[in-house]
Coordinates of all heavy atoms in Angstrom, one line a residue:
D1 N 0.8 -1.2 0.0 CA 0.0 0.0 0.0 C 0.9 1.3 0.0 O 1.8 1.5 0.9 CB -0.9 0.0 1.2 CG -2.0 1.1 1.1 OD1 -1.8 2.1 0.5 OD2 -3.1 0.8 1.7
N2 N 0.7 2.1 -1.0 CA 1.5 3.2 -1.1 C 1.1 4.5 -0.4 O 1.7 5.5 -0.4 CB 1.6 3.6 -2.6 CG 2.9 4.1 -3.1 OD1 3.9 3.6 -2.6 ND2 2.9 5.2 -3.9
N3 N 0.0 4.5 0.3 CA -0.5 5.6 1.0 C -0.4 5.5 2.6 O -0.9 6.4 3.3 CB -2.0 6.0 0.7 CG -2.2 6.5 -0.7 OD1 -1.2 7.1 -1.3 ND2 -3.3 6.4 -1.3
K4 N 0.2 4.5 3.0 CA 0.5 4.3 4.5 C 1.7 5.0 4.9 O 1.8 5.2 6.2 CB 0.6 2.8 4.7 CG -0.6 2.0 4.6 CD -0.4 0.6 5.0 CE -1.1 0.2 6.4 NZ -2.5 -0.2 6.2
H5 N 2.5 5.4 4.1 CA 3.8 6.1 4.5 C 4.0 7.4 3.8 O 3.6 7.5 2.6 CB 5.0 5.2 4.4 CG 4.9 4.0 5.2 ND1 4.6 2.8 4.8 CD2 5.3 3.9 6.5 CE1 4.6 1.9 5.8 NE2 5.1 2.5 6.9
Q6 N 4.7 8.3 4.5 CA 5.0 9.6 3.8 C 6.5 9.9 4.1 O 7.0 9.6 5.2 CB 4.1 10.7 4.5 CG 4.5 12.1 4.0 CD 4.3 12.5 2.6 OE1 3.2 12.2 2.0 NE2 5.3 13.0 1.9
W7 N 7.2 10.4 3.1 CA 8.6 10.7 3.3 C 8.7 12.3 3.6 O 7.9 13.0 3.1 CB 9.4 10.4 2.0 CG 9.6 9.0 1.8 CD1 8.7 8.0 1.4 CD2 10.7 8.2 2.3 NE1 9.2 6.7 1.5 CE2 10.5 6.8 2.0 CE3 11.9 8.5 2.8 CZ2 11.4 5.8 2.3 CZ3 12.9 7.5 3.1 CH2 12.6 6.3 2.8
Y8 N 9.6 12.5 4.5 CA 9.8 14.0 4.9 C 11.3 14.3 4.8 O 12.3 13.4 5.0 CB 9.5 14.0 6.4 CG 8.0 13.7 6.7 CD1 7.6 12.4 6.9 CD2 7.1 14.7 6.9 CE1 6.3 12.1 7.2 CE2 5.7 14.4 7.1 CZ 5.4 13.1 7.3 OH 4.1 12.7 7.6
Y9 N 11.6 15.5 4.6 CA 13.0 16.1 4.6 C 13.1 17.2 5.6 O 12.0 17.9 5.8 CB 13.5 16.5 3.2 CG 12.7 17.6 2.6 CD1 13.1 18.9 2.7 CD2 11.6 17.3 1.8 CE1 12.5 19.9 2.1 CE2 10.9 18.3 1.2 CZ 11.3 19.7 1.3 OH 10.6 20.7 0.7
E10 N 14.2 17.4 6.2 CA 14.3 18.3 7.3 C 14.5 19.8 6.9 O 15.2 20.1 6.0 CB 15.6 17.9 8.1 CG 15.7 18.6 9.4 CD 16.9 18.0 10.2 OE1 17.9 17.7 9.6 OE2 16.7 17.7 11.4
G11 N 13.7 20.6 7.5 CA 13.8 22.0 7.4 C 14.5 22.6 8.6 O 15.1 21.9 9.4
R12 N 14.4 24.0 8.8 CA 15.1 24.7 9.8 C 14.6 24.2 11.3 O 15.3 24.1 12.1 CB 15.0 26.2 9.7 CG 16.2 26.8 9.0 CD 16.0 28.2 8.7 NE 14.9 28.5 7.7 CZ 14.6 29.7 7.3 NH1 15.3 30.7 7.7 NH2 13.6 29.8 6.3
N13 N 13.2 24.1 11.3 CA 12.7 23.7 12.6 C 11.5 22.8 12.4 O 10.4 23.1 12.9 CB 12.3 25.0 13.4 CG 11.6 26.0 12.6 OD1 11.1 25.7 11.6 ND2 11.7 27.3 13.0
G14 N 11.7 21.8 11.7 CA 10.6 20.8 11.5 C 10.8 20.1 10.1 O 11.9 20.2 9.5
W15 N 9.8 19.3 9.8 CA 9.8 18.4 8.6 C 8.9 18.9 7.5 O 7.8 19.3 7.9 CB 9.6 17.0 9.1 CG 10.5 16.5 10.0 CD1 10.5 16.5 11.4 CD2 11.7 15.8 9.7 NE1 11.6 15.9 12.0 CE2 12.3 15.4 10.9 CE3 12.4 15.3 8.5 CZ2 13.5 14.7 11.1 CZ3 13.5 14.6 8.6 CH2 14.1 14.2 9.9
W16 N 9.4 18.8 6.3 CA 8.6 19.1 5.1 C 8.2 17.7 4.5 O 9.1 16.8 4.4 CB 9.4 19.9 4.1 CG 9.7 21.3 4.4 CD1 10.9 21.8 5.0 CD2 8.8 22.4 4.3 NE1 10.8 23.1 5.1 CE2 9.6 23.5 4.7 CE3 7.5 22.6 3.9 CZ2 9.0 24.9 4.7 CZ3 7.0 23.9 3.9 CH2 7.7 25.0 4.4
K17 N 7.0 17.6 4.0 CA 6.7 16.5 3.2 C 7.2 16.6 1.8 O 7.3 17.7 1.3 CB 5.1 16.3 3.1 CG 4.4 16.0 4.3 CD 2.9 15.8 4.1 CE 2.2 15.4 5.4 NZ 0.9 14.9 5.3
Y18 N 7.7 15.5 1.2 CA 8.0 15.5 -0.2 C 6.7 15.6 -1.0 O 5.6 15.1 -0.5 CB 8.7 14.2 -0.6 CG 10.1 14.1 -0.2 CD1 10.6 13.6 1.0 CD2 11.1 14.4 -1.2 CE1 11.9 13.6 1.3 CE2 12.4 14.4 -0.9 CZ 12.9 13.9 0.4 OH 14.2 13.8 0.6
E19 N 6.7 16.1 -2.1 CA 5.6 16.3 -3.0 C 5.2 14.8 -3.5 O 6.0 13.9 -3.4 CB 5.8 17.2 -4.1 CG 7.0 17.1 -4.9 CD 6.8 16.2 -6.1 OE1 5.7 15.9 -6.4 OE2 7.9 15.7 -6.6
E20 N 4.0 14.7 -4.0 CA 3.4 13.4 -4.2 C 4.2 12.5 -5.1 O 4.4 11.3 -4.9 CB 2.1 13.6 -4.8 CG 1.2 12.4 -4.8 CD -0.3 12.7 -5.2 OE1 -0.7 13.9 -5.1 OE2 -0.9 11.8 -5.8
R21 N 4.8 13.1 -6.2 CA 5.6 12.3 -7.2 C 6.9 11.7 -6.5 O 7.2 10.6 -6.6 CB 5.8 13.2 -8.4 CG 6.9 12.5 -9.4 CD 6.3 11.3 -10.1 NE 7.4 10.6 -10.8 CZ 7.7 10.9 -12.0 NH1 7.0 11.9 -12.7 NH2 8.7 10.3 -12.7
S22 N 7.5 12.6 -5.8 CA 8.8 12.2 -5.2 C 8.5 11.2 -4.1 O 9.3 10.2 -4.0 CB 9.6 13.5 -4.5 OG 9.9 14.4 -5.5
N23 N 7.4 11.4 -3.4 CA 7.0 10.4 -2.3 C 6.8 9.1 -2.9 O 7.3 8.1 -2.4 CB 5.8 10.9 -1.6 CG 5.5 10.2 -0.3 OD1 6.3 10.3 0.6 ND2 4.4 9.5 -0.4
A24 N 6.1 9.0 -4.1 CA 5.8 7.7 -4.7 C 7.1 7.1 -5.2 O 7.3 5.9 -5.0 CB 4.8 8.0 -5.8
D25 N 8.0 7.9 -5.8 CA 9.3 7.4 -6.2 C 10.1 6.8 -5.0 O 10.7 5.7 -5.2 CB 10.1 8.4 -7.0 CG 9.5 8.8 -8.3 OD1 8.6 8.1 -8.8 OD2 10.0 9.8 -8.9
L26 N 10.1 7.6 -4.0 CA 10.9 7.2 -2.8 C 10.4 5.9 -2.2 O 11.1 5.0 -1.9 CB 10.9 8.2 -1.8 CG 11.8 9.5 -2.0 CD1 11.5 10.6 -1.1 CD2 13.3 9.1 -1.9
E27 N 9.1 5.8 -2.1 CA 8.4 4.7 -1.5 C 8.7 3.4 -2.3 O 9.0 2.3 -1.8 CB 6.9 4.9 -1.3 CG 6.1 3.9 -0.5 CD 6.7 3.8 1.0 OE1 7.4 4.7 1.4 OE2 6.3 2.8 1.6
A28 N 8.5 3.6 -3.7 CA 8.7 2.5 -4.6 C 10.2 1.9 -4.5 O 10.4 0.7 -4.4 CB 8.4 2.8 -6.1
A29 N 11.1 2.9 -4.5 CA 12.6 2.5 -4.4 C 12.8 1.8 -3.0 O 13.4 0.8 -3.0 CB 13.4 3.8 -4.5
F30 N 12.4 2.5 -2.0 CA 12.6 1.9 -0.6 C 12.1 0.5 -0.5 O 12.8 -0.4 0.0 CB 12.1 2.8 0.4 CG 12.4 2.4 1.9 CD1 13.6 2.6 2.5 CD2 11.3 1.8 2.6 CE1 13.8 2.2 3.7 CE2 11.6 1.4 3.9 CZ 12.8 1.6 4.5
T31 N 10.9 0.3 -0.8 CA 10.3 -1.0 -0.6 C 10.8 -2.0 -1.6 O 10.7 -3.3 -1.3 CB 8.7 -1.0 -0.8 OG1 8.4 -0.4 -2.1 CG2 8.1 -0.1 0.3
S32 N 11.4 -1.6 -2.7 CA 12.1 -2.6 -3.6 C 13.4 -3.1 -3.0 O 13.9 -4.0 -3.6 CB 12.3 -1.9 -5.0 OG 13.5 -1.1 -4.9
G33 N 13.9 -2.4 -2.1 CA 15.2 -2.9 -1.4 C 16.5 -2.2 -1.9 O 17.6 -2.5 -1.4
V34 N 16.4 -1.3 -2.9 CA 17.6 -0.6 -3.3 C 18.1 0.4 -2.3 O 17.4 0.7 -1.3 CB 17.4 0.1 -4.7 CG1 17.0 -0.9 -5.8 CG2 16.4 1.2 -4.6
S35 N 19.3 0.8 -2.4 CA 20.0 1.5 -1.3 C 19.8 3.0 -1.5 O 20.0 3.8 -0.5 CB 21.4 1.3 -1.2 OG 22.1 1.6 -2.4
E36 N 19.4 3.5 -2.6 CA 19.2 5.0 -2.8 C 18.3 5.2 -3.9 O 17.9 4.3 -4.6 CB 20.6 5.6 -3.1 CG 21.2 5.0 -4.3 CD 22.6 5.7 -4.7 OE1 23.4 5.8 -3.7 OE2 22.8 6.0 -5.8
C37 N 17.8 6.5 -4.0 CA 16.9 6.9 -5.0 C 17.3 8.3 -5.5 O 17.5 9.1 -4.6 CB 15.5 7.0 -4.3 SG 14.2 7.5 -5.5
L38 N 17.3 8.5 -6.8 CA 17.7 9.8 -7.3 C 16.4 10.6 -7.6 O 15.4 9.9 -8.1 CB 18.5 9.6 -8.6 CG 19.8 9.1 -8.6 CD1 20.5 9.1 -9.9 CD2 20.7 9.8 -7.6
L39 N 16.4 11.9 -7.3 CA 15.2 12.7 -7.5 C 15.7 13.9 -8.4 O 16.8 14.4 -8.0 CB 14.6 13.2 -6.2 CG 14.0 12.1 -5.3 CD1 13.7 12.8 -3.9 CD2 12.9 11.4 -5.9
L40 N 14.9 14.4 -9.2 CA 15.1 15.6 -10.0 C 14.1 16.6 -9.4 O 12.9 16.4 -9.6 CB 15.0 15.4 -11.5 CG 15.3 16.6 -12.4 CD1 16.6 17.2 -12.2 CD2 14.9 16.3 -13.8
L41 N 14.6 17.6 -8.7 CA 13.7 18.5 -8.0 C 14.0 19.9 -8.6 O 15.1 20.5 -8.2 CB 13.9 18.5 -6.5 CG 13.6 17.2 -5.8 CD1 14.2 17.2 -4.4 CD2 12.1 16.9 -5.8
A42 N 13.1 20.5 -9.3 CA 13.2 21.8 -10.0 C 14.6 22.0 -10.6 O 15.3 23.0 -10.4 CB 13.0 22.8 -8.9
G43 N 15.0 21.0 -11.4 CA 16.3 21.0 -12.2 C 17.5 20.6 -11.4 O 18.6 20.7 -11.9
T44 N 17.5 20.3 -10.1 CA 18.5 19.9 -9.3 C 18.4 18.3 -8.9 O 17.3 18.0 -8.5 CB 18.6 20.7 -8.0 OG1 18.6 22.1 -8.3 CG2 19.8 20.3 -7.2
I45 N 19.5 17.7 -9.1 CA 19.5 16.2 -8.8 C 19.9 16.0 -7.4 O 20.9 16.5 -6.9 CB 20.4 15.4 -9.8 CG1 20.1 15.7 -11.2 CG2 20.4 13.9 -9.4 CD1 21.1 15.1 -12.2
Y46 N 19.1 15.2 -6.7 CA 19.3 14.8 -5.3 C 19.4 13.4 -5.2 O 18.7 12.6 -5.9 CB 18.3 15.4 -4.4 CG 18.3 16.8 -4.1 CD1 17.5 17.7 -4.9 CD2 19.0 17.4 -3.1 CE1 17.5 19.1 -4.7 CE2 19.0 18.8 -2.9 CZ 18.3 19.6 -3.8 OH 18.3 20.9 -3.6
C47 N 20.2 12.8 -4.3 CA 20.2 11.4 -4.0 C 19.7 11.2 -2.5 O 20.2 11.8 -1.6 CB 21.6 10.9 -4.1 SG 21.8 9.2 -3.6
V48 N 18.7 10.4 -2.4 CA 18.3 9.9 -1.1 C 18.9 8.6 -0.7 O 18.7 7.7 -1.4 CB 16.7 9.9 -1.0 CG1 16.3 9.4 0.4 CG2 16.1 11.3 -1.1
D49 N 19.7 8.7 0.3 CA 20.5 7.5 0.8 C 19.7 6.8 1.9 O 19.5 7.4 2.9 CB 21.8 8.0 1.2 CG 22.7 7.0 1.9 OD1 22.2 5.9 2.4 OD2 24.0 7.2 2.0
F50 N 19.2 5.6 1.6 CA 18.3 4.9 2.6 C 19.2 4.3 3.8 O 18.6 4.0 4.8 CB 17.5 3.8 1.9 CG 16.6 4.3 0.8 CD1 16.5 3.7 -0.4 CD2 15.8 5.4 1.1 CE1 15.6 4.2 -1.4 CE2 14.9 5.9 0.1 CZ 14.8 5.2 -1.1
Q51 N 20.4 4.1 3.6 CA 21.2 3.6 4.8 C 21.4 4.7 5.8 O 21.2 4.4 7.0 CB 22.6 3.2 4.2 CG 22.8 1.7 4.0 CD 22.3 1.3 2.6 OE1 23.0 1.8 1.6 NE2 21.3 0.7 2.4
N52 N 21.8 5.9 5.3 CA 22.0 7.0 6.2 C 20.8 7.9 6.5 O 20.9 8.8 7.3 CB 23.2 7.8 5.8 CG 24.5 6.9 5.7 OD1 24.8 6.4 6.7 ND2 25.1 6.9 4.6
M53 N 19.7 7.7 5.6 CA 18.5 8.4 5.7 C 18.9 9.9 5.6 O 18.5 10.7 6.5 CB 17.7 8.1 7.0 CG 17.1 6.7 6.9 SD 16.0 6.4 5.5 CE 14.4 7.0 6.2
V54 N 19.5 10.2 4.5 CA 19.8 11.6 4.2 C 19.5 11.9 2.7 O 19.6 11.0 1.9 CB 21.2 12.0 4.5 CG1 21.5 12.1 6.0 CG2 22.2 11.0 3.8
Q55 N 19.2 13.2 2.4 CA 19.2 13.6 1.0 C 20.4 14.5 0.8 O 20.7 15.4 1.5 CB 17.9 14.5 0.9 CG 17.8 15.2 -0.4 CD 16.6 16.2 -0.4 OE1 15.5 15.8 -0.6 NE2 17.0 17.5 -0.4
I56 N 21.1 14.2 -0.3 CA 22.3 15.0 -0.7 C 22.1 15.5 -2.1 O 21.8 14.8 -3.0 CB 23.5 14.0 -0.6 CG1 23.5 13.2 0.7 CG2 24.7 14.7 -0.9 CD1 24.4 11.9 0.7
R57 N 22.5 16.8 -2.2 CA 22.6 17.4 -3.4 C 23.7 16.9 -4.3 O 24.8 17.0 -3.8 CB 22.6 19.0 -3.4 CG 22.2 19.7 -4.6 CD 22.7 21.1 -4.7 NE 22.2 22.0 -3.6 CZ 22.5 23.3 -3.5 NH1 23.4 23.8 -4.3 NH2 22.1 24.0 -2.6
R58 N 23.5 16.4 -5.4 CA 24.5 15.7 -6.3 C 25.7 16.7 -6.6 O 26.8 16.3 -6.5 CB 23.9 15.2 -7.5 CG 23.3 13.9 -7.4 CD 24.0 12.9 -8.2 NE 24.2 11.6 -7.5 CZ 24.5 10.5 -8.2 NH1 24.5 10.5 -9.5 NH2 24.7 9.4 -7.5
S59 N 25.3 18.0 -7.0 CA 26.4 18.9 -7.4 C 27.2 19.5 -6.3 O 28.1 20.2 -6.4 CB 25.7 20.0 -8.2 OG 24.8 20.7 -7.4
D60 N 26.7 19.3 -5.0 CA 27.3 19.8 -3.7 C 27.0 19.0 -2.6 O 26.0 19.2 -1.8 CB 26.9 21.3 -3.6 CG 27.6 21.9 -2.4 OD1 28.3 21.1 -1.6 OD2 27.4 23.1 -2.1
P61 N 27.7 17.9 -2.3 CA 27.4 16.9 -1.3 C 27.4 17.5 0.1 O 26.9 16.9 1.1 CB 28.4 15.8 -1.4 CG 28.9 16.0 -2.9 CD 28.9 17.5 -3.1
T62 N 27.9 18.7 0.3 CA 27.7 19.4 1.6 C 26.3 19.8 1.9 O 25.9 20.1 3.1 CB 28.6 20.6 1.7 OG1 28.2 21.7 0.9 CG2 30.1 20.3 1.4
K63 N 25.5 19.9 0.9 CA 24.1 20.2 1.0 C 23.3 18.9 1.3 O 22.8 18.2 0.5 CB 23.5 20.8 -0.2 CG 24.3 22.1 -0.7 CD 24.2 23.2 0.3 CE 24.9 24.4 -0.1 NZ 25.0 25.4 0.9
L64 N 23.2 18.6 2.7 CA 22.7 17.4 3.1 C 21.6 17.7 4.1 O 21.7 18.6 5.0 CB 23.9 16.7 3.8 CG 23.7 15.2 4.3 CD1 25.0 14.5 4.1 CD2 23.5 15.4 5.9
R65 N 20.5 16.9 4.0 CA 19.5 17.0 5.0 C 19.1 15.6 5.4 O 19.0 14.6 4.7 CB 18.2 17.6 4.3 CG 18.3 19.0 3.8 CD 17.1 19.4 2.9 NE 17.3 20.6 2.3 CZ 16.9 21.8 2.9 NH1 16.2 21.7 4.0 NH2 17.1 22.9 2.3
R66 N 18.5 15.5 6.6 CA 18.0 14.2 7.1 C 16.6 14.0 6.4 O 16.0 15.0 6.1 CB 17.8 14.3 8.7 CG 19.1 14.3 9.4 CD 18.9 13.8 10.9 NE 18.0 14.8 11.6 CZ 17.3 14.5 12.7 NH1 17.3 13.3 13.1 NH2 16.7 15.5 13.3
V67 N 16.3 12.8 6.2 CA 15.0 12.4 5.8 C 14.4 11.4 6.7 O 15.1 10.8 7.5 CB 15.1 11.8 4.4 CG1 15.7 12.8 3.4 CG2 15.7 10.5 4.3
K68 N 13.1 11.3 6.7 CA 12.4 10.3 7.5 C 11.3 9.7 6.7 O 10.7 10.3 5.8 CB 12.0 10.7 8.9 CG 10.9 11.7 8.9 CD 10.9 12.5 10.2 CE 9.8 12.1 11.1 NZ 9.8 10.9 11.9
R69 N 10.9 8.5 7.0 CA 9.7 7.8 6.5 C 8.8 7.6 7.7 O 9.2 6.9 8.7 CB 10.1 6.4 5.9 CG 8.9 5.7 5.4 CD 9.5 4.3 4.8 NE 8.5 3.5 4.1 CZ 8.1 2.3 4.5 NH1 8.5 1.9 5.7 NH2 7.3 1.6 3.8
D70 N 7.6 8.1 7.7 CA 6.6 8.1 8.8 C 5.3 8.0 8.4 O 5.0 7.9 7.1 CB 7.0 9.3 9.7 CG 6.7 9.1 11.2 OD1 5.7 8.5 11.5 OD2 7.5 9.6 12.0
I71 N 4.3 8.0 9.3 CA 2.9 8.0 8.9 C 2.6 9.4 8.3 O 3.2 10.4 8.7 CB 2.0 7.7 10.1 CG1 2.3 8.6 11.3 CG2 2.2 6.2 10.5 CD1 1.3 8.4 12.5
P72 N 1.6 9.5 7.4 CA 1.2 10.8 6.8 C 0.7 11.9 7.8 O 0.8 13.0 7.4 CB 0.0 10.3 5.9 CG 0.3 8.9 5.6 CD 0.8 8.3 6.9
T73 N 0.3 11.5 9.0 CA -0.2 12.5 10.0 C 1.0 13.0 10.8 O 0.6 13.9 11.7 CB -1.3 11.9 10.9 OG1 -0.8 10.7 11.4 CG2 -2.5 11.6 10.0
F74 N 2.2 12.6 10.6 CA 3.3 13.2 11.4 C 3.3 14.7 11.1 O 3.1 15.2 10.1 CB 4.6 12.6 11.0 CG 5.7 13.0 11.8 CD1 6.1 12.4 13.0 CD2 6.5 14.1 11.5 CE1 7.1 12.8 13.8 CE2 7.6 14.5 12.3 CZ 7.8 13.9 13.4
P75 N 3.5 15.5 12.2 CA 3.5 17.0 12.0 C 4.5 17.5 11.1 O 5.6 17.2 11.2 CB 3.8 17.5 13.5 CG 3.4 16.5 14.4 CD 3.7 15.2 13.7
S76 N 4.1 18.3 10.1 CA 5.0 18.8 9.1 C 4.8 20.3 8.9 O 3.7 20.9 9.3 CB 4.8 18.1 7.8 OG 3.6 18.5 7.2
K77 N 5.8 21.1 8.4 CA 5.7 22.4 8.0 C 4.8 22.7 6.7 O 4.3 23.8 6.6 CB 7.1 23.0 7.7 CG 8.1 22.9 8.9 CD 9.4 23.6 8.6 CE 9.2 25.1 8.7 NZ 10.5 25.8 8.5
G78 N 4.7 21.6 5.9 CA 3.9 21.7 4.8 C 4.4 20.7 3.7 O 5.1 19.8 4.1
I79 N 4.2 21.0 2.5 CA 4.5 20.1 1.4 C 5.6 20.8 0.5 O 5.2 21.9 -0.2 CB 3.3 19.6 0.6 CG1 2.3 19.0 1.5 CG2 3.7 18.7 -0.5 CD1 1.0 18.7 0.8
A80 N 6.8 20.3 0.4 CA 7.8 20.7 -0.6 C 7.9 22.2 -0.6 O 8.1 22.8 -1.6 CB 7.5 20.2 -1.9
G81 N 8.0 22.9 0.6 CA 8.2 24.3 0.7 C 7.0 25.1 0.7 O 7.1 26.3 0.9
I82 N 5.8 24.5 0.4 CA 4.6 25.2 0.6 C 4.0 25.1 2.0 O 3.6 23.9 2.4 CB 3.5 24.7 -0.4 CG1 4.1 24.6 -1.8 CG2 2.2 25.5 -0.4 CD1 4.4 25.9 -2.5
K83 N 3.9 26.2 2.7 CA 3.6 26.1 4.1 C 2.1 25.7 4.3 O 1.2 26.1 3.6 CB 3.8 27.4 4.8 CG 5.3 27.7 5.2 CD 5.5 28.9 6.0 CE 6.9 29.2 6.2 NZ 7.1 30.7 6.4
R84 N 2.0 24.8 5.4 CA 0.7 24.4 5.8 C -0.1 25.5 6.3 O 0.4 26.4 7.1 CB 0.8 23.3 6.9 CG -0.4 22.6 7.4 CD -0.1 21.5 8.3 NE 1.0 21.8 9.3 CZ 0.8 22.5 10.4 NH1 -0.4 22.9 10.7 NH2 1.7 22.8 11.2
L85 N -1.4 25.7 5.9 CA -2.3 26.7 6.4 C -2.9 26.3 7.7 O -3.4 25.2 7.8 CB -3.3 27.0 5.4 CG -2.8 27.3 4.0 CD1 -4.0 27.4 3.0 CD2 -2.2 28.7 3.9
D86 N -2.7 27.1 8.8 CA -3.4 26.8 10.0 C -3.8 28.0 10.9 O -4.3 28.9 10.4 CB -2.7 25.8 10.9 CG -1.2 26.2 11.1 OD1 -0.9 27.4 10.8 OD2 -0.4 25.4 11.7
Ligands
V3L1 N1 11.7 19.1 -2.1 C1 11.5 20.4 -2.4 N2 12.4 21.4 -2.2 C2 13.6 21.0 -1.8 C3 13.9 19.7 -1.5 C4 12.8 18.7 -1.6 N3 13.0 17.4 -1.3 N4 15.2 19.5 -1.0 C5 15.7 20.8 -1.1 N5 14.8 21.7 -1.5 P1 19.5 22.2 -0.5 P2 13.0 26.1 6.1 C6 13.6 23.9 1.5 C7 14.9 23.1 -1.8 O1 19.2 21.1 0.5 O2 12.5 27.4 6.4 C8 12.2 23.9 1.9 O3 11.3 23.2 1.0 C9 15.0 23.8 -0.4 O4 13.7 24.1 0.1 O5 20.5 23.2 0.2 O6 14.5 25.9 6.3 C10 11.8 25.4 1.9 O7 11.3 25.8 0.7 C11 15.9 25.0 -0.7 O8 15.1 26.1 -1.0 O9 20.0 21.7 -1.8 O10 12.3 24.9 6.8 C12 13.1 26.1 2.2 O11 14.1 25.0 2.2 C13 16.7 24.5 -1.8 O12 16.1 23.4 -2.5 C14 13.1 26.7 3.6 O13 12.7 25.7 4.6 C15 18.1 24.1 -1.6 O14 18.2 23.0 -0.7

């Protein structure tokens, strides 16, 4: 089931949800057992490393964020940089 889990990346003081397409790609890759997943986000390539649970910018590996896989109701800042309205 692809809607039981949500992937999150770390922001300054909380977690952002990945947008739907990236979330589906991450979930498919993770459940297939591969060690990483490449994402193209607004023209920038990122690698999500499932061993270390980090997202790394390919062109600058110092740009690293923690990622997590959790339930969809885990508190988040919003989706892919779009702030949650509350
Ligand atoms: N999905 C969407 N945008 C991303 C992602 C992603 N998985 N990864 C990086 N970016 P870096 P606060 C984030 C954006 O890691 O206030 C948030 O989505 C990233 O956006 O250095 O710190 C917010 O829009 C950043 O703008 O390669 O919580 C913004 O940061 C840019 O790519 C501020 O969030 C460079 O990220």
Side-chain angles (χ1 to χ4, degrees):
D1 192 329
N2 215 42
N3 286 340
K4 286 184 109 85
H5 294 98
Q6 172 68 46
W7 286 82
Y8 300 84
Y9 61 96
E10 196 170 38
R12 266 176 292 185
N13 41 25
W15 297 88
W16 292 100
K17 292 184 177 193
Y18 280 88
E19 51 87 16
E20 195 172 332
R21 170 65 188 276
S22 298
N23 192 65
D25 288 352
L26 287 167
E27 191 61 14
F30 181 78
T31 58
S32 81
V34 298
S35 62
E36 61 183 40
C37 180
L38 293 183
L39 297 174
L40 182 59
L41 298 167
T44 302
I45 302 172
Y46 290 91
C47 177
V48 174
D49 174 340
F50 298 135
Q51 264 86 64
N52 298 306
M53 291 298 274
V54 289
Q55 170 191 287
I56 306 162
R57 199 199 295 178
R58 276 244 140 161
S59 63
D60 181 355
T62 68
K63 303 300 184 184
L64 183 146
R65 296 167 185 271
R66 291 199 295 156
V67 303
K68 69 197 255 76
R69 179 182 187 248
D70 211 317
I71 54 175
T73 53
F74 186 86
S76 74
K77 300 186 73 173
I79 304 173
I82 310 296
K83 280 187 188 158
R84 185 172 45 80
L85 304 167
D86 54 8

